[in-house]
Amino acid sequence: MAREYNDLVLQHVSHRFDTTIAVDDANLTVGAGEVVCLVGPSGCGKTTLLRVAAGLEPLQHGQILIGGEIVANGHLSVPPEDRNVGLVFQDYAPFPHLTVHGNIAFGLKNLGNSQRDQQVTQALERTGMSGYATAYPHQLSGGQQQRVALARALAPNPRIVLLDEPFSGLDASLRQRVRDQAAEILRATGIATLMVTHDPEEAMYLADRIVVMDRGGFQQIGNPDQIYLTPASSFVTTFFGEVNRFSGRVEGEKVRTPLGSVLASGHGDGAVVDILIRPEALTISRDDDADIRGSVNGTRFLGRGSLIDVVLEDGAGTLVRVHMAGRMLPDMGTMVSVGRDDTQTHIFAISQQE
């Protein structure tokens, strides 16, 4: 029986290209009004999964449902044009010879003139482009063209929306503004949205939930807090930002590092582990009595914060990177103490490395 709302459900979806596994047993539900981002390195399978959901790649194994209706399984494959899916790709170039109205109306040929004009008008209003119906693409900015692409995807009143790197062609300042607008529009429409991005920060910013992919498989699914603060593996931790990495052997539920002993609960004595500590989990001060000390080896001001490299007095000259909020640029050679936030210290068995 069809659901009362529209969602996207992927059940045990797998896809191969010859002997290469592009998607490996993917299970995911994207709820109505939810924005879910697929992230991962190039070639991890995220775009393939999106194309399979859209029907642009044939489903090889598993089942896909939209709004509770099966659109693909081992016996059935509804054509892409009949799935009522809105698509926005990285290359969203509109037809240059058509006005904005004409571009949006192009995919509504099966409707009568009155209904088509009504849905175009509604899509333009949703995306804040009502005043540009008669404009041609060359008269629009990159951000306006992107909103036209979104309006074109929303005009047929799709059950779900699939986006593949939709903001990657915009400059940094425009990208932030346009993705804010797009996220607000998509949530307001109550449409289930699955988006591919290569940018972890963009996923953190936009998504209700993030799916981290590697080698065709799901490494972790969670909201941005869960993904960043409680990563499931070394791979997930490092994908979402720079880390200070150490390795060591567990002794008495602890492992020694150049930054002091770290509690290694859940890892048995003798286990060899990776210890990953984000730069923002470290702090520096001028406390002469602290146990962990070192000398400043380099500084960089990034506007929102400062990066400070410190060579530790541990006998091995270990270099660690510290990220402090605001402007903090101590002179080269300044002696500092280094503190650590245990909540941002992550430990994984070496066998868990990707």
Side-chain angles (χ1 to χ4, degrees):
M1 184 175 68
R3 298 169 187 258
E4 294 180 355
Y5 55 88
N6 291 320
D7 58 5
L8 170 66
V9 179
L10 308 176
Q11 297 176 338
H12 301 292
V13 172
S14 295
H15 196 85
R16 288 175 177 266
F17 294 107
D18 296 325
T19 59
T20 301
I21 299 175
V23 179
D24 186 15
D25 196 31
N27 291 279
L28 179 67
T29 297
V30 183
E34 184 181 31
V35 177
V36 173
C37 284
L38 298 173
V39 300
S42 297
C44 72
K46 53 189 185 293
T47 293
T48 298
L49 184 58
L50 196 81
R51 289 177 62 83
V52 169
L56 301 175
E57 290 283 348
L59 179 69
Q60 296 175 352
H61 181 80
Q63 183 167 265
I64 299 172
L65 299 89
I66 297 177
E69 299 175 3
I70 298 173
V71 296
N73 59 19
H75 311 287
L76 167 73
S77 181
V78 176
E81 61 272 19
D82 295 331
R83 295 190 182 189
N84 196 13
V85 172
L87 300 172
V88 181
F89 294 104
Q90 181 176 354
D91 180 13
Y92 50 77
F95 300 117
H97 63 289
L98 296 178
T99 63
V100 167
H101 184 285
N103 267 277
I104 298 170
F106 187 82
L108 303 173
K109 292 180 178 179
N110 295 330
L111 302 179
N113 289 340
S114 177
Q115 188 178 359
R116 182 170 60 245
D117 288 345
Q118 182 180 356
Q119 290 188 209
V120 170
T121 299
Q122 184 182 47
L124 288 171
E125 289 174 350
R126 282 176 171 176
T127 55
M129 292 295 290
S130 295
Y132 296 89
T134 60
Y136 284 87
H138 71 273
Q139 298 173 309
L140 304 177
S141 68
Q144 289 169 336
Q145 289 189 30
Q146 197 278 341
R147 280 192 282 163
V148 170
L150 184 58
R152 188 167 59 190
L154 294 175
N157 294 319
R159 296 191 291 183
I160 64 171
V161 172
L162 305 175
L163 305 99
D164 189 6
E165 303 277 11
F167 312 117
S168 60
L170 304 175
D171 64 69
S173 59
L174 182 59
R175 181 163 60 246
Q176 181 172 335
R177 186 166 69 252
V178 171
R179 71 188 183 190
D180 278 354
Q181 295 167 342
E184 184 178 349
I185 292 164
L186 291 166
R187 288 193 175 94
T189 59
I191 296 174
T193 301
L194 183 61
M195 178 178 132
V196 165
T197 176
H198 69 281
D199 184 348
E201 185 174 328
E202 184 166 87
M204 294 280 292
Y205 190 84
L206 281 175
D208 298 302
R209 285 188 298 144
I210 297 171
V211 180
V212 186
M213 293 188 67
D214 188 39
R215 304 175 193 175
F218 289 178
Q219 303 301 306
Q220 187 173 357
I221 302 175
N223 63 41
D225 277 7
Q226 291 167 335
I227 296 290
Y228 196 81
L229 298 177
T230 56
S233 66
S234 295
F235 172 82
V236 175
T237 310
T238 56
F239 186 79
F240 278 83
E242 185 178 11
V243 298
N244 295 290
R245 183 191 289 264
F246 311 102
S247 61
R249 190 175 298 276
V250 178
E251 298 177 359
E253 295 191 339
K254 292 185 177 180
V255 56
R256 294 179 182 177
T257 79
L259 291 168
S261 292
V262 176
L263 186 63
S265 301
H267 299 275
D269 274 9
V272 179
V273 295
D274 261 349
I275 304 96
L276 307 180
I277 306 174
R278 300 189 188 279
E280 61 266 31
L282 300 179
T283 58
I284 61 170
S285 69
R286 300 298 290 272
D287 181 2
D288 295 336
D289 297 325
D291 293 332
I292 310 300
R293 292 180 54 77
S295 60
V296 173
N297 190 59
T299 60
R300 272 156 288 182
F301 181 52
L302 305 179
R304 290 180 294 178
S306 303
L307 288 181
I308 304 105
D309 289 337
V310 178
V311 177
L312 300 179
E313 291 186 321
D314 61 346
T318 302
L319 181 70
V320 296
R321 176 156 291 175
V322 181
H323 186 190
M324 298 284 285
R327 188 177 185 276
M328 179 178 286
L329 305 175
D331 294 335
M332 291 280 288
T334 300
M335 294 302 298
V336 295
S337 61
V338 181
R340 187 188 77 240
D341 178 1
D342 286 344
T343 65
Q344 281 294 287
T345 299
H346 307 292
I347 303 178
F348 303 102
I350 293 295
S351 60
Q352 287 183 258
Q353 291 187 85
E354 302 298 328

